[in-house]
Amino acid sequence: MIYRPMYVDKIMRYADAPFVKILTGVRRCGKSTILKMIMEELKKRGISDKQLLSYRFDSMEYEDMTAKEMFNEIKSKLCDGEKTYLFLDEVQEIKHWEKVVNSLASDYDVDIYVTGSNSRMMSSEIETYLTGRYIAFRIYTLSFSEYLTFKKEYSDVKAPREELAEYIRLGGFPATHLQKYSEDEVYTIVRDIYNSTIFSDIVKRNQVRKVDQLERIVKFAFDNVGKTFSAKSISDYLKSERRTIDNETVYNYLEKLENAYILYRCSRYDIQGKELLKTQEKFYLADTALRYSVLGFTMTSVAAMLENVVYLELRRRGYSVNIGKTADGEIDFIAKKQSEKLYVQVTREITSPETEQREYSRLLEIRDNYPKYLLTTDNFAGGNYEGIKTMHVADFLLSSEF
C-alpha cells in the first residue's frame, strides 16, 4: 500500500470533526485504499481496532440490504462509551444510505468516512439530509508525482521529462502501477474499469436502452478532448452517420458521463466581460489511459492529452478551472482558488517564431499581475518572457510553486 499524502493529510485534518467525510471519484482511482490509509493513521493516534468499523457495500454480502437493515447492522456494532470510526465503502449501493448516515451522525458518537463512484454521492438527497454536515473530497487517479513514487517500487525511474511520455500513455489508475505491466496489459485493465463504469453506473443505473448510441457519444468526446464542441456538434456528427439523435439526448448522455466521473466539463470564461459562457465547452477525461484503451494510441492525440494532464493537476490542487476567452483567441486554462489565480497555456512544442508569437501574445493580452505560464515539452523550456514563465510540462506538474 503506497501512501498518498495529498489526500490522507487533507482528510485527516477533519478527523473527529462533526462532518461526514465523503470521498468521490471515478472507479478504481484509489478511494478504498485511502480509507485504509486513514484507518492506519487513526491507529497511530491511539485508536483501537474495536473502534474501527468498516463495510464494503459493493460486496455480494450486502446486495439486498435495505437502509433500515444497514442502520441496525451498524448500530449493533458501535462501541459503548467510546467513539466509533465508520468506514462505509461504495455506500451508494444502499438506497437511502444518506438517511442512515444522517441518523448515525446525529444520534451516536461516531466519525464517518464514506466513498462512492457516481453522482448519487452528491445528489439532492445528500443536500437534504446532510446539509452543512459533510465535506466532499474529490479523489483523482495518480498525479505525475504519485506515478513516479509508485513506479519506483517496481522499476527504474528515468528523469521526469523522459517519464512524462509514459505517464501520458499509461495514465494513473493505481491498479496499473502496482507492478510492471506491458502497455497492452494496462489498457486491458483500464478497459475493464471503463466497461464496468459504463455498464454499472450509466447503462444499468439509468436503464439506457440505446447503448450503441451512448458509446458513439463517448468515442466522440474522447476523440475531441481539448476541443470546444456542443451537443449540436455531436448530433450533427451522428446525423452524418445516418443516426438521428436530438440535442437534449446528447446533453443527457454527457451529463451521465460526468456523473460517473468519466468526463469533466470545462466551461469558457470571457476575460473581458468577466462572465461564464454557456456554449462551446470542453471536456477532459478522468485519466488519459481511458482514451488510449478505448480508441488506441495516435501521435496526433498527444497535445490534447498534455492539456488533459495539466487540467487534472490543477483540479487536484484545488483550483476551479475554466477556458479563458480573449478578444483574439483562447487561453487554455484560467485556474482560481480563493484569492489566487493563474493563467496557463499548453503547447506541445514551439516549432517556429510564428507559433511562439501566437502562444505568448494570448497571455500578453491579459493585463493583470497574476502568474502566467507557457508549458511545453521542449527540453530547452525555461526562463521568463515579459513576465510569462516558460516551463517544461513535467517541471510544472512537479512544481510546488502553485
Side-chain angles (χ1 to χ4, degrees), residues 10 25 33 37 45 59 80 87 93 123 143 149 180 212 219 240 278 283 285 308 325 346 374 391 394:
K10 189 186 299 183
T33 305
M37 293 174 186
R45 294 187 180 187
S59 166
D80 287 329
F87 297 87
E93 297 300 328
S123 65
S143 68
T149 301
K180 188 169 182 60
D212 178 62
K219 288 175 181 176
S240 73
K278 296 180 179 179
F283 287 85
L285 307 184
N308 206 122
K325 179 185 177 296
V346 185
L374 178 63
M391 294 180 73

Side-chain angles (χ1 to χ4, degrees), residues 20 125 166 175 185 204 239 321 354:
V20 177
E125 285 80 7
E166 188 164 318
E185 289 168 335
K204 187 178 176 183
K239 282 175 184 173
V321 185
E354 290 77 21

Side-chain angles (χ1 to χ4, degrees), residues 361-386:
S361 64
R362 291 176 183 177
L363 291 167
L364 291 171
E365 278 185 56
I366 304 167
R367 304 295 184 181
D368 65 30
N369 295 317
Y370 290 108
K372 300 174 180 67
Y373 294 89
L374 178 63
L375 308 181
T376 83
T377 55
D378 185 342
N379 279 324
F380 295 100
N384 195 296
Y385 177 79
E386 294 190 29

